[in-house]
Amino acid sequence: MFLPRAILATLLACAYPAHADSISDQPYPGTIVLKVDATNTAQQIFRVRESIPAQPGKLTLLYPQWVVGNHGPSGTLSQFAGLKVYANGKQIDWVRDTVNVYAFHINVPQGASSVDVEFQYLSPTEAAQGRTTMTNDILGVQWQSVTLYPAGYDSRKITMQANLTVPKDWQYGTALETAQRSGDEIAFKPLDLEAMMDSPLFAGRYFRRIDLDPGARIPVHLNVVADSADQLEATPEQIAPHRALIQQAYKLFNSQHYKHYDFLFAISDEFGGIGREHHQSSENGVKLGYFTDWSKHEARRELLPHEFTHSWNGKFRRPADQNVPNFNTPLQNSLLWVYEGQTQYWGAVLAARSGLIKTEHTRDLIAATAARYDNVKGREWRAVQDTTNDPIVNGRRAQGWNNWQRAEDYYSEGELIWLDADTLIRELSGDKRSLNDFARRFFGVDDGVNVAKHYTFDDVVRDLNAVQPYDWATFLRSRLDGHGPRAPLDGLARAGWKLVYTEKPTDFLKAQEEQSKSANFQYSLGFSVGSEGKLEAFQWEGLGFKAGLSGGSTLVAVNGRAYKPEVLRAAITAAKTSKDPISLLVKKGNLYQTYAFDYHEGLKYPRLERISGTPDRLEAILQPLK
């Protein structure tokens, strides 16, 4: 018999604290058995059952809030539905905590030795609902979305045994070790909750596994799922740089911290795009054409080097303030400029060293990054260190004035800081040492160990000093806490290059614009124009801003002619030799308004230019390690 809801809520509110800070150092008694049915691809519904050992009395179950590799409280609670709890074969009631809404309180009745729960995870069916994790041809299991676990225990001391049912004849890739497969039902070997959460799975109707390190003692596989069979067709020439990536990473980090590594790689226009790191795997999702339109999508090929680097940086070496006991304890992100910033740097470097991205195109990408951050007006009020809080503050929601608000700039501005550090080490040591030596020292310890090794700011400074004596604490803090006014571009100069602007974009950046159906006028008129004429990416206090333009606007015409990117480019070029302003007709809501731009400096696109008489350290950095 159920108690009235109001009475039960009152009783449980008195019985359970809103926040359970006490974490037992003892293992959770018994093994939690998790069963996920992922066969309903038509309606995109995961059905979940769990059997959780429990003693009579109070029990709190938690739905994960702080998602692995996402740096913020982004647990998909809004897609969690249908919770029912049973004990001794009878349904019992539950109450959600009114403060911690990820916590569910129950009273386990006398005579019960376990509770059984069932619920559904409702994968988004439209983009507005979130990232799609299930389609007719692909599914991705992120265990944090389909798991409840008991509060009060360290997640590394809770044993889980996961089971998954996939659609008929589908194949899968995961870092989990399979105990048995019977038809479409898969049983995985028991492991701790943290390791399970860190081992997602991709499955698909169209599947291919590519061995990226043939004959190696520690295997590395590229597990590819796609919307159609033709998207799996990779040539030997395309596979070769992926294999080179593995070898270049090993030469850089001089260690391996996994028993095996599985890239989970989706090529799809329907399955949600993603790039998320895990210790022994990574989730990677790109649009169609990765292999079939190989030459058109070169910039996408930085994704796998970035996520692979995370096995060392972020997963094996992990910030000390992210050493939390479970997935409902807040993370602290103060060292994300190492975790993500240095990974952004090594991702670019390894992409070039492996041949996934051409050296000259890597330079173009660095030029675009340098130009972007050299023009960030928000630096005046917000240091890059504070952007490490952005996953919690903003959670990657769209911004109206990103140039002023700033977002997760610790990624790419962090990349510039580490280029600065690399070239400084090279300069001070007479090019005898580099950040490669730091990588081997910092990430190359405890070879073969796949348990996280945590670090502090002082640890980073210590190992930098061991490679090259210098006041690294001041070097880092001045760049992390300073307000510019410009981006940290000293590393480019030491590398033998400088940022310049020319009237024509590089071929690589031009191709990127065409692919994204956007046009970059940020360094001339102070904004970009997206598909269908949408005005976006405004420079705070740039010309467009000062003219009164804002988001939610559409560029309709240029000097009386219908807008096309080439029409606006031609108008800006013509204005160089004319005193007439550039006239833009803009629609916002139901209002059409004309804006006049008294601008005569021509088009401006970033690129890198060699500084004559200096060593080309950037070329040295991007060359494959021997």
Side-chain angles (χ1 to χ4, degrees):
M1 177 179 179
F2 295 135
L3 285 171
R5 193 74 174 175
I7 297 175
L8 182 63
T10 301
L11 290 173
L12 291 178
C14 296
Y16 297 87
H19 297 281
D21 295 323
S22 176
I23 302 292
S24 172
D25 61 358
Q26 298 299 310
Y28 188 75
T31 296
I32 297 173
V33 177
L34 171 67
K35 295 183 177 181
V36 179
D37 185 333
T39 58
N40 190 354
T41 58
Q43 294 178 302
Q44 295 160 270
I45 297 171
F46 294 83
R47 296 190 177 276
V48 183
R49 293 181 180 273
E50 280 185 90
S51 179
I52 303 171
Q55 300 298 317
K58 297 177 291 185
L59 175 66
T60 297
L61 299 178
L62 300 174
Y63 189 73
Q65 181 178 14
W66 292 79
V67 174
V68 171
N70 215 34
H71 313 316
S74 57
T76 53
L77 192 59
S78 61
Q79 270 87 51
F80 173 90
L83 176 62
K84 296 180 181 179
V85 183
Y86 300 86
N88 293 330
K90 297 181 180 178
Q91 187 173 350
I92 60 176
D93 222 331
W94 57 266
V95 169
R96 188 194 304 263
D97 196 292
T98 55
V99 175
N100 178 9
V101 295
Y102 288 78
F104 301 88
H105 303 308
I106 62 176
N107 269 320
V108 181
Q110 291 297 319
S113 59
S114 66
V115 294
D116 297 311
V117 302
E118 64 178 50
F119 61 90
Q120 300 83 46
Y121 171 65
L122 310 175
S123 175
T125 55
E126 298 178 7
Q129 300 168 6
R131 176 179 166 269
T132 300
T133 57
M134 181 183 279
T135 73
N136 284 323
D137 300 304
I138 301 172
L139 66 88
V141 179
Q142 296 176 316
W143 299 105
Q144 70 269 5
S145 298
V146 293
T147 303
L148 288 170
Y149 69 95
Y153 289 84
D154 191 309
S155 60
R156 287 157 284 203
K157 296 185 177 182
I158 299 174
T159 301
M160 304 288 300
Q161 194 273 306
N163 302 268
L164 177 67
T165 304
V166 297
K168 182 175 175 57
D169 298 328
W170 281 29
Q171 301 301 310
Y172 64 94
T174 180
L176 294 177
E177 296 186 8
T178 301
Q180 180 181 350
R181 178 167 186 171
S182 177
D184 300 316
E185 296 183 359
I186 308 157
F188 297 102
K189 294 180 180 179
L191 75 173
D192 67 80
L193 176 65
E194 182 178 274
M196 187 189 79
M197 294 289 198
D198 199 35
S199 304
L201 176 148
F202 279 11
R205 185 187 312 277
Y206 307 105
F207 178 90
R208 180 182 180 186
R209 173 169 291 169
I210 301 172
D211 189 346
L212 294 185
D213 197 4
R217 179 178 57 87
I218 299 177
V220 178
H221 288 106
L222 181 64
N223 302 279
V224 191
V225 291
D227 288 349
S228 57
D230 65 292
Q231 294 294 315
L232 306 176
E233 295 176 2
T235 67
E237 292 76 18
Q238 292 168 342
I239 295 171
H242 294 86
R243 287 177 171 164
L245 166 64
I246 309 308
Q247 301 309 314
Q248 285 298 310
Y250 290 165
K251 290 176 181 179
L252 174 63
F253 299 119
N254 198 34
S255 61
Q256 296 163 305
H257 299 288
Y258 43 79
K259 296 178 181 178
H260 52 89
Y261 189 91
D262 286 87
F263 290 99
L264 310 181
F265 190 43
I267 305 173
S268 173
D269 283 345
E270 298 180 14
F271 188 70
I274 191 171
R276 187 170 296 169
E277 67 274 13
H278 302 280
H279 200 145
Q280 299 191 112
S281 63
S282 57
E283 297 170 272
N284 309 274
V286 298
K287 296 294 186 181
L288 296 178
Y290 183 85
F291 292 121
T292 57
D293 291 322
W294 181 255
S295 62
K296 294 181 180 179
H297 303 300
E298 189 174 353
R300 293 181 185 176
R301 301 203 284 270
E302 198 174 330
L303 175 61
L304 298 183
H306 180 101
E307 301 304 340
F308 191 43
T309 296
H310 269 314
S311 181
W312 290 268
N313 185 15
K315 304 309 296 184
F316 170 60
R317 295 308 308 265
R318 202 174 301 181
D321 59 8
Q322 294 201 347
N323 185 15
V324 294
N326 62 27
F327 298 96
N328 293 72
T329 302
L331 298 172
Q332 297 180 62
N333 291 333
S334 67
L335 290 166
L336 284 184
W337 51 272
V338 183
Y339 181 135
E340 293 289 4
Q342 194 173 138
T343 296
Q344 191 79 357
Y345 180 67
W346 288 130
V349 169
L350 287 171
R353 289 179 181 175
S354 64
L356 282 166
I357 298 180
K358 294 178 181 178
T359 299
E360 59 268 30
H361 295 164
T362 299
R363 287 199 301 265
D364 292 342
L365 289 170
I366 293 172
T369 298
R372 176 183 175 186
Y373 288 99
D374 205 36
N375 289 275
V376 168
K377 194 70 172 176
R379 190 183 310 281
E380 292 180 6
W381 73 276
R382 191 177 186 193
V384 69
Q385 176 67 68
D386 187 60
T387 70
T388 63
N389 296 303
D390 214 66
I392 302 169
V393 172
N394 188 53
R396 297 188 175 176
R397 288 183 288 271
Q399 294 177 310
W401 303 98
N402 173 268
N403 183 264
W404 182 244
Q405 293 167 276
R406 309 198 72 176
E408 295 180 55
D409 291 352
Y410 55 86
Y411 274 88
S412 294
E413 189 164 331
E415 177 184 359
L416 295 175
I417 291 172
W418 288 108
L419 173 63
D420 199 352
D422 194 350
T423 55
L424 182 57
I425 294 171
R426 290 170 187 263
E427 181 181 71
L428 292 174
S429 68
D431 292 306
K432 295 179 181 178
R433 293 181 292 280
S434 69
L435 202 65
N436 294 334
D437 298 289
F438 171 83
R440 294 186 186 102
R441 181 180 182 87
F442 195 73
F443 303 112
V445 296
D446 300 340
D447 183 29
V449 173
N450 63 352
V451 176
K453 186 178 182 69
H454 297 89
Y455 64 86
T456 65
F457 176 85
D458 290 342
D459 293 328
V460 176
V461 170
R462 181 200 64 217
D463 279 12
L464 283 169
N465 270 309
V467 171
Q468 177 61 51
Y470 189 70
D471 186 1
W472 290 107
T474 299
F475 172 93
L476 293 170
R477 292 264 53 101
S478 63
R479 287 156 178 77
L480 294 166
D481 302 329
H483 293 279
R486 313 299 294 221
L489 300 185
D490 291 349
L492 268 182
R494 281 195 221 94
W497 296 81
K498 62 181 177 181
L499 174 67
V500 299
Y501 297 88
T502 60
E503 291 189 80
K504 292 184 177 180
T506 65
D507 290 341
F508 183 67
L509 294 181
K510 181 181 178 181
Q512 278 197 291
E513 277 195 19
E514 292 172 352
Q515 184 181 332
S516 63
K517 298 180 181 179
S518 65
N520 184 352
F521 302 101
Q522 291 183 47
Y523 309 116
S524 51
L525 299 184
F527 55 80
S528 288
V529 187
S531 61
E532 300 180 355
K534 180 182 178 181
L535 297 182
E536 56 193 15
F538 288 91
Q539 296 285 320
W540 186 262
E541 297 182 352
L543 288 181
F545 177 93
K546 290 179 179 178
L549 293 173
S550 69
S553 303
T554 301
L555 179 55
V556 178
V558 180
N559 292 341
R561 297 182 62 193
Y563 167 75
K564 292 182 180 179
E566 57 269 26
V567 172
L568 182 51
R569 292 190 192 105
I572 294 173
T573 299
K576 287 182 63 180
T577 56
S578 170
K579 294 182 180 180
D580 296 332
I582 301 166
S583 177
L584 303 184
L585 178 62
V586 175
K587 178 180 182 293
K588 185 171 185 179
N590 295 321
L591 179 67
Y592 288 82
Q593 190 167 347
T594 299
Y595 296 83
F597 285 79
D598 190 22
Y599 176 76
H600 306 279
E601 297 178 20
L603 294 164
K604 294 182 180 180
Y605 297 101
R607 68 172 66 213
L608 297 187
E609 184 178 279
R610 278 285 286 130
I611 302 172
S612 61
T614 63
D616 189 350
R617 293 192 175 100
L618 186 55
E619 181 71 15
I621 289 169
L622 300 180
Q623 287 303 301
L625 296 176
K626 303 298 184 183

